[in-house]
Amino acid sequence: MSLFTRQVSCACIILFAALMLSGCAQPDEVRPTSTPNSDSATAQGPQPLIIWHGLPAAEGDTLQRIADRFVESNPEIAVQIEAHDPSALLSAYESAVLSGAGPDILLGPASWVEFLVGKGLIQPVSPELAQTMNDTLPAPVALGTQIAGTPFALPFSVEFATLYVNRVLVAEPPQIWDQIASAAQQRGLLVTPAFLVVSGLYFTSGAQLMSADGAPIATRQSVASFLEELHTLASLPGVTVTTDLTSFTQGEAGLLLASSNEYTALRAALGEDLSVATLPRIPPKQWSTLLEFEVLIQSLNSTAEATAATGAFAEFILSPEIQGIWFEETGYAPANPAGLSDGSLRSAWSTTLEWGVPAPLSSRFETEIRPALDRAVQAIMVDGAGVEDEAANIMAMLEGSAP
C-alpha cells in the first residue's frame, strides 16, 4: 500500500470518527460546489467560518481587514479570526481537530502540509478551488502543494529571490548570468548569504534536493557544483556578501540579490530609484529560484457548509484586488502576481514564479535541510570554507534525514 493510500485511509477513519462524535455532517452528505445559499443562511443566521493563524500583529490586522471586506460582499458568512502563538499553532490545531473541534481554515507555512496529511487532519482542496488555482496562479505555485497529484492547500503569499536595481546607477540590468561579473565590477553587487537567495545556482541546472515523498535525492556532484558556483560568485570583484543592505539603500551599490520580502523597506529608502529586474537567465534555462509559500488549509472537521464558505473566501483572497492589498500592507509577495499594480514589478515577479521551484512540503526541509544549506552558503561565501568539506557535510545530513 502506498504512502498516499495509507494517508488517505487514515484520514477517512479519523473523518468518520469525528463526524460520529460531533454530528457535523451526515455520511451521505454531498459537499456543495458553490457559496452557501444566502437566503437559507440568513434564515438560520450567518454561516460561521473560523480562521486560525500565527501571523505577526500587523499582518493579522491586514487579514482582519480583508475578512471584513469579504463579509461586506458575503453577509451570509460570519468570519471569525483567532490569532495564536506561531510556535504553538500547529500543535494547538492538531489537538483541537483530534477532539472534534478546531477552525475551518488554518493559515501557515506550506511545510506543514505533509505532516497534516500524514496525520489525516486536513481535507484536500476541492475540485472547484483546484480549478481556480490552476486558472489564476502560475503553474509552479498552483501545483506546489500537491501530494500524489492531489492539492492540499492554497498558496496566498510567497517568498523568493529578487534582483533589485538602483536605476540611477544601472541603466541596463544583466540579462544573462554571465553579465553579472561585469555589472558587479562596474556598479557593485550585494548578495544576501541565504540558500533561498542563491538557490538559482542549484535548481536552474535541474538538480533536486528531495523527491515528492520527502526522500533526499541530491547528489554529491550537484551539491559540490553548487558550492563551487557560490565560491566563484563571492570572489568576483565588486561582489559583497552581506546581510547589511546599507550600501545599496544609500546608492553606493547598483545591484542587490536578496529576498522578495525586502521590497517594502528598499522602496521606502530609494523611492522611484528602485526597480526590480527579471532574474538573469542561466542558459539554457530561465532562473529557477526556490519558492516558499504561506498557505490556506481546510480543516478535516469543517462541515460541508463551512467548506463551501472556505471556497468563497479562498477565491476572494486570490483575487487581484485582495492580493494587491496583501502586498501593499504586508510587503509579502502575492501568490497571484496579477495583483501587483507596478507593471515592471509584475512582469519580473511573474517570470520568477513561472520558473520557480516550490520548496519541498516535507517538514524536514524547513527544520533540517534548509538551515544546513544556509549554513553552507554562509561558510562558503563569507567564511571561506572548503567546497569539498561543506559538500560532505550536506550529503551526510541529507542521508541522515532519510525516512
Side-chain angles (χ1 to χ4, degrees), residues 34-349:
S34 60
T35 305
N37 181 275
S38 59
D39 293 337
S40 173
T42 301
Q44 302 173 14
Q47 167 64 47
L49 182 64
I50 303 171
I51 301 175
W52 285 11
H53 72 85
L55 297 168
E59 287 77 9
D61 290 343
T62 296
L63 176 64
Q64 184 64 63
R65 285 190 286 274
I66 289 172
D68 291 343
R69 291 185 59 154
F70 171 75
V71 170
E72 288 176 5
S73 55
N74 296 270
E76 72 279 7
I77 301 173
V79 178
Q80 303 170 24
I81 296 179
E82 187 174 316
H84 286 253
D85 179 343
S87 65
L89 176 55
L90 183 60
S91 60
Y93 173 82
E94 180 181 8
S95 297
V97 172
L98 289 175
S99 68
D104 299 302
I105 293 174
L106 175 66
L107 302 182
S111 59
W112 288 357
V113 170
E114 183 197 49
F115 169 80
L116 292 170
V117 170
K119 291 281 189 175
L121 299 177
I122 60 177
Q123 297 181 31
V125 170
S126 70
E128 295 75 25
L129 189 52
Q131 187 61 54
T132 297
M133 291 166 57
N134 291 335
D135 293 342
T136 305
L137 302 175
V141 182
L143 303 176
T145 61
Q146 290 191 357
I147 295 178
T150 299
F152 279 91
L154 179 139
F156 65 90
S157 186
V158 60
E159 183 182 6
F160 46 84
T162 295
L163 181 62
Y164 298 99
V165 180
N166 184 328
R167 66 175 86 230
V168 173
L169 299 178
V170 179
E172 292 291 336
Q175 302 296 308
I176 61 173
W177 182 250
D178 288 347
Q179 297 171 344
I180 282 287
S182 175
Q185 186 169 15
Q186 293 177 16
R187 295 301 185 185
L189 167 65
L190 304 188
V191 179
T192 302
F195 178 71
L196 179 140
V197 171
V198 296
S199 57
L201 297 176
Y202 186 83
F203 290 118
T204 304
S205 67
Q208 301 180 60
L209 285 169
M210 302 182 75
S211 63
D213 64 0
I217 55 176
T219 67
R220 176 69 172 267
Q221 180 179 359
S222 64
V223 170
S225 177
F226 165 63
L227 297 178
E228 189 61 47
E229 289 280 1
L230 297 184
H231 175 75
T232 299
L233 174 61
S235 303
L236 293 176
V239 171
T240 302
V241 181
T242 180
T243 57
D244 183 356
L245 310 184
T246 304
S247 61
F248 183 77
T249 58
Q250 293 184 348
E252 297 167 4
L255 298 167
L256 167 66
L257 186 60
S259 165
S260 56
N261 288 354
E262 300 289 350
Y263 179 88
T264 299
L266 296 174
R267 182 73 174 186
L270 292 175
E272 294 298 323
D273 291 343
L274 179 72
S275 69
V276 171
T278 300
L279 291 169
R281 288 174 57 82
I282 305 178
K285 294 177 61 179
Q286 181 62 43
W287 186 299
S288 298
T289 186
L290 186 73
L291 306 177
E292 295 212 317
F293 305 132
E294 291 293 317
V295 298
L296 179 155
I297 300 169
Q298 181 81 61
S299 171
L300 177 72
N301 290 340
S302 291
T303 64
E305 293 79 10
T307 299
T310 294
F313 182 77
E315 291 189 8
F316 183 79
I317 204 172
L318 274 191
S319 66
E321 180 185 5
I322 301 305
Q323 286 278 281
I325 291 172
W326 175 258
F327 170 62
E328 292 296 333
E329 295 196 9
T330 68
Y332 299 146
N336 179 7
L340 298 167
S341 58
D342 184 312
S344 61
L345 178 62
R346 183 169 61 250
S347 176
W349 278 1

